[in-house]
Amino acid sequence: MAWAPIHDFPYTPVPYRPERISADEALRTAASMREKMQTRRTVRAFSSDSVPEQVIIDAIAIAATAPSGAHQQPWTFVVVTDPEVRARIREAAEEEERISYDGRLGDEWLSALRPLGTDEHKPHLTDAPYLIVVFEQRYFLDGDKQHKHYYVDESVGIAVGMLLTALHLSGLAALTHTPSPMRFLSEVLNRPRNEKAFAVIPVGYPAEDAVVPDLVRKDLDQVMVRV
């Protein structure tokens, strides 16, 4: 049964009474999560070791609890494990990246990427045991009718952030890969016309020899303002 657009039916209010934890427990939980998330890094070298599929499913379920404009939940998470399909995705992505690194990105963007050591080669797309391809639903299809979705980019961006957090707290590494353009993903994965690719996220354990750039995050006082 197709999901109906939000304006087609009213919601019945229900009580919301989540368990309220103590201040001490809240402080412990926040501090623990902050410490764990400080170790999150983008990984480009993945082990082929298998990952329990339920971990991926649970992480996506967590992402799907994200707030969304008018509660329209405009996202689709496509889990790709088929080696042939992943090979096709890698081939198409590397072709787009080759064009980008040959000049389409522009000098300023290429200069910003240079310290990270990235290039057109994307082995993570076939090395990682899972690819999660996130699509944003630009509108809802009801037969031949289109119903607009609202705040799609913001909603899907929040969901992806929650997905990355859930994966990291589950002990997995991930990479947000956004080749541009990404139309090939809709073709390879046979997605409907109302969906537009948002990101490709390889997921797995880091390779034994994985390395990451020695980066420094901004201090809290550089990103937080009290008013």
Side-chain angles (χ1 to χ4, degrees):
M1 179 178 174
W3 179 83
I6 187 74
H7 51 263
D8 278 359
F9 60 94
Y11 279 106
T12 301
V14 295
Y16 179 62
R17 300 289 185 272
E19 181 182 357
R20 187 168 181 172
I21 64 176
S22 68
D24 286 344
E25 186 177 353
L27 288 167
R28 285 194 301 270
T29 300
S32 175
M33 186 171 292
R34 178 178 178 177
E35 182 179 5
K36 290 176 181 176
M37 291 307 297
Q38 284 294 334
T39 66
R40 191 209 62 79
R41 295 299 303 269
T42 293
V43 171
R44 290 182 168 81
F46 288 86
S47 165
S48 60
D49 291 349
S50 62
V51 170
E53 186 179 67
Q54 191 61 47
V55 177
I56 305 299
I57 293 171
D58 287 343
I60 292 173
I62 290 168
T65 69
S68 60
H71 192 56
Q72 292 174 322
Q73 305 162 81
W75 43 63
T76 302
F77 301 89
V78 180
V79 179
V80 187
T81 56
D82 187 307
E84 182 180 339
V85 175
R86 289 193 294 159
R88 290 172 61 196
I89 290 174
R90 177 178 175 179
E91 181 181 8
E94 289 186 335
E95 177 58 27
E96 293 294 351
E97 295 286 74
R98 193 172 295 112
I99 297 170
S100 293
Y101 278 91
D102 281 346
R104 182 167 60 187
L105 292 177
D107 292 340
E108 186 174 358
W109 185 214
L110 288 171
S111 178
L113 288 173
R114 199 164 291 121
L116 301 178
T118 60
D119 58 25
E120 69 273 20
H121 302 293
K122 307 299 177 186
H124 45 260
L125 295 175
T126 49
D127 290 347
Y130 287 94
L131 292 183
I132 302 174
V133 185
V134 185
F135 288 87
E136 53 182 21
Q137 300 169 10
R138 304 307 302 179
Y139 49 89
F140 168 70
L141 283 173
D142 181 13
D144 294 330
K145 295 181 180 180
Q146 297 182 10
H147 301 279
K148 182 179 178 181
H149 280 166
Y150 299 93
Y151 299 104
V152 175
D153 292 338
E154 295 87 345
S155 301
V156 177
I158 294 168
V160 167
M162 293 176 63
L163 175 65
L164 295 175
T165 300
L167 291 169
H168 178 71
L169 293 177
S170 300
L172 298 178
L175 165 69
T176 47
H177 178 51
T178 53
S180 180
M182 292 194 280
R183 286 186 297 272
F184 67 88
L185 289 165
S186 295
E187 298 167 5
V188 172
L189 297 173
N190 194 30
R191 300 310 305 160
R193 59 187 170 87
N194 66 316
E195 293 187 356
K196 177 183 176 184
F198 185 86
V200 185
I201 306 176
V203 180
Y205 299 112
E208 292 272 342
D209 58 352
V211 295
V212 295
D214 186 15
L215 303 178
V216 177
R217 291 189 171 99
K218 291 181 178 180
D219 292 334
L220 193 57
D221 60 7
Q222 293 178 281
V223 300
M224 186 182 78
V225 177
R226 286 191 176 92
V227 179

